[in-house]
Structures are given as structure tokens and as C-alpha cells.
Amino acid sequence: MSVSPAAQTPAADAAATLREATFVRLRVHTSGAAVAAAGVIGRALRTRNIPFRIRATNAPDTAANDDVVAVVGLSDADADLEIDPRDAVAVVRELDVAPDPVVALAGLHAAGVSPAEDSELAGAATDAGIESRPGVAVPTDDLADGLAHSTLVHAPFSADKEHTQAALADLSLPAELDADAHQRVASLVAIDATTGEAISRAATAVERVLHPDAAPSGPFATVGGFADVLDAAVRETPGVAVALALGHDVRDAALEAWREHAQSTHDALREATTGRYESLYALSCDLSSPGRLATVARLARDFRSPEPTVLAVGVGAAALVSTGSAGLDEQLAAAATELADASATGTAEEATMTFDSDVESKAVVTAVREVRR
């Protein structure tokens, strides 16, 4: 096909193209929101017996002439469809398929979107047993494990299960948690995440891990916990994240990736060397994974950075995030032209860059600052 889409393809148009496809290639941004959206769409294609493949990568794919190429959460002028992750539910409804409510809600949670106005999705969630309760949005029934490895929050207990266990022990929680016990856990997290080194934005950011939707029919304890696992796993083991979003039994592998991702990113944030510039907060650490650096940058933005935009620089890689849509992909692409063997990709809200491992972090910070002037 030779379609050159605009910024995002409307849901009805995307569905019309998918409905007539003989094979669909979905290329997905390495984020929880995008991989969940691909899972919602992939399940609908499977229901309609339309063959497809999903790859969570920023690298272009090779496609046959009659394939439909769709990107989710990415921009690609050569793709037939550009789908906003937040539109996945609308796309599959246009295909006359009911979206899986747990995966759909996890994707919206990862995207930071409230589904409150979608009465149809709310009804399906209720039918699936999903209900809001006090407490925290973690994927496991083990609260110490869930809180220590959550990447929805950064607090003194993060990446330290023993610290978390001790803090929970001080609450004298009953064996079976009731509403009051859940509320006490939530209060502990809210206080720990918004005091000490925390910035004012932390008071808003911590809300993502509070007041969870319990998901008894899902693969994880809460919708927010599911979203957290998807976001971490797609940055560690993309194939596992895709399989999880499609409903395959990869729970243990996904949780292992989630724990590893959380441990490395929280530790890196604590140990990073920092620098503050006009509207930019820069961190330097030893990580070489763009996905891990993106999480470090996001956690710093939400819980530690006094500036709205955060640059996390590692060894041969960097990530840039901000409090709003700020053309970050274009900024890093421009900065890449000033560095050896550098290339950048991502979205306006989150972008990553790779470069020669011999390039010093100071040079990366200088290049990014120059394009932001």
C-alpha cells in the first residue's frame, strides 16, 4: 500500500484498512501503553482471523507489498497506519469486537488516561469483576514485593524489599487485608513518596499507585500493577511483553523482567550524578539500556527533578522526558547530529538516543542543551 498517513489515523479509517488486510505488521513503541494497545488490537485481529505480527521496537520492519504496516505510539511516514495507543479501544470496536477490559484498562493506565467517560468499557470492567478499592496498585498479592519493585513510584522503600517489609510490619496489618488496612498501606506510600527529597510534583505523581482497580480475572492483582509490568517488561524483554498483552501465559517471565527493571532503575536514580540547568535536569549513570534510562528519567521527573524536563545519560544511550508533549523526539534527533554514531527515536513525550560508548555524558548534555535553546 502507498498510504502516507497524517499524524494519527482516525479509528474508523484504521479499522477499515485492518478489516481488508491479508497480513498486518504492528510495530510498537517500547512503552506499556503502546504494547497494551497492540495487545487489544492483536486480540481483535485474531478474533477476525486476520494474520498479524507484533514487534515492540523502534526499528523499521521489512514488509511485503500487500502487507498492512501499522505503528502504535510511533510516527512513521512509510507506515499505512499510525495509531495512537489511546485509540486502540475505538479501533477494535470499529472492527465489531469487544476489547478485553483488563488489557484495555491497563493500557489506559499506562498512558495516564482516565476511562471514566467510557461507559461501555466501565460496564465490561464491572462484568469482569474489576472494582476500585483503597490501597496500592501493585501486580502481586505480596505487598512487599509489589511496592519494592513498583516503577509507578520512587520512595525510600523502592528496590529494597527488606526496607519495605519492615515498613509494612510497623503497620501491624491483618492476614486478610480489609479496607482500613489497604488505606493504611496507601497512606504509608503517599507519605514516603512525597517527603524527604521529593519534589512538589510527587504529590500528583504518586496518585498513579493509589486507589487501584482490583482485577480478579486478570493475570495480576490490579490494573495498575498490570500496566507497570507491561511497561517494565517491554523495556527488558519485548517478546514477553507482547505475549503478555496477547494473553499468553508468561506471567512469571514478565514479573522477573519487572523486578529486574525496577531494581536497576531505582538503584541508578539514587546513585546518579545530577546537574541542573534552565528547564533541564540531567542525570548521569552507568546504565546502557535506553529503556531503563527512560524509566530513570520518568521517575526523576515525577519524584526528584526541580525542572520539567529530564535527561538521563548512560553509557552509549540517553533518554529525554518532560512534563508535557514537547517535541522531544525532534530535539534528540537534532542532538544526535552532533554526536558520534548517534541516532534517536521515540515520541514527543519520550525519546531515546544511542551513540558511541566513548562519548562522554557531558558532551551529550551539551548537545541537548544546544538544541533546546
Side-chain angles (χ1 to χ4, degrees):
M1 300 182 70
S2 59
V3 179
S4 180
Q8 299 294 327
T9 309
D13 294 346
T17 300
L18 293 173
R19 190 179 295 111
E20 302 300 321
T22 56
F23 191 87
V24 178
R25 295 179 184 271
L26 288 158
R27 186 161 65 86
V28 182
H29 179 49
T30 51
S31 68
V35 75
V40 169
I41 294 170
R43 290 172 188 235
L45 294 174
R46 190 166 56 197
T47 297
R48 294 187 62 92
N49 296 315
I50 300 172
F52 66 93
R53 186 179 79 167
I54 299 174
R55 293 176 67 236
T57 176
N58 293 322
D61 199 2
T62 300
N65 290 334
D66 57 348
D67 292 347
V68 168
V69 177
V71 292
V72 183
L74 293 167
S75 179
D76 184 349
D78 294 326
D80 301 305
L81 304 172
E82 290 187 352
I83 300 174
D84 187 316
R86 296 166 293 188
D87 291 339
V89 168
V91 170
V92 302
R93 283 177 179 157
E94 291 287 346
L95 288 170
D96 298 320
V97 177
D100 180 282
V102 180
V103 182
L105 287 172
L108 293 176
H109 187 283
V113 176
S114 171
E117 296 181 2
D118 191 331
S119 58
E120 188 175 344
L121 184 58
T126 299
D127 292 342
I130 298 172
E131 61 178 359
S132 180
R133 63 161 172 78
V136 289
V138 294
T140 62
D141 291 325
D142 182 343
L143 278 177
D145 181 32
L147 288 175
H149 297 108
S150 174
T151 69
L152 299 179
V153 62
H154 181 73
F157 56 73
S158 296
D160 188 341
K161 190 173 180 179
E162 290 185 3
H163 181 135
T164 311
Q165 288 172 326
L168 291 172
D170 288 342
L171 298 180
S172 300
L173 300 172
E176 293 293 329
L177 300 186
D178 55 15
D180 176 70
H182 279 301
Q183 187 58 57
R184 280 187 281 153
V185 174
S187 296
L188 167 71
V189 172
I191 292 170
D192 278 7
T194 57
T195 55
E197 299 179 61
I199 56 170
S200 59
R201 274 195 302 276
T204 299
V206 74
E207 292 177 2
R208 292 190 69 205
V209 78
L210 304 178
H211 311 295
D213 288 327
S217 63
F220 302 102
T222 66
V223 168
F226 190 1
D228 190 22
V229 172
L230 281 171
D231 200 62
V234 76
R235 300 173 193 273
E236 294 288 327
T237 52
V240 169
V242 170
L244 179 63
L246 288 172
H248 299 296
D249 185 14
V250 292
R251 183 179 187 276
D252 289 346
L255 283 173
E256 182 179 350
W258 166 71
R259 293 186 184 102
E260 184 175 351
H261 188 77
Q263 193 74 45
S264 65
T265 54
H266 286 297
D267 286 346
L269 178 53
R270 286 198 181 96
E271 298 166 4
T273 301
T274 63
R276 183 178 182 181
Y277 309 92
E278 183 178 359
S279 76
L280 180 69
Y281 189 65
L283 304 95
S284 178
C285 57
D286 293 333
L287 298 179
S288 58
S289 162
R292 290 184 178 184
L293 287 164
T295 299
V296 170
R298 172 177 59 79
L299 289 171
R301 176 200 65 192
D302 292 345
F303 295 96
R304 292 293 181 267
S305 173
E307 300 294 342
T309 303
V310 177
L311 173 67
V313 185
V315 180
L320 189 66
V321 304
S322 191
T323 54
S325 180
L328 302 186
D329 49 349
E330 296 177 358
Q331 291 177 19
L332 274 196
T337 64
E338 303 299 320
L339 303 171
D341 297 327
S343 62
T345 187
T347 68
E349 296 85 10
E350 176 191 297
T352 58
M353 175 169 60
T354 58
F355 44 85
D356 190 287
S357 59
D358 289 333
V359 174
E360 295 183 356
S361 60
K362 182 179 179 180
V364 179
V365 174
T366 297
V368 172
R369 290 185 65 202
E370 286 296 321
V371 300
R372 287 173 53 81
R373 291 186 189 278

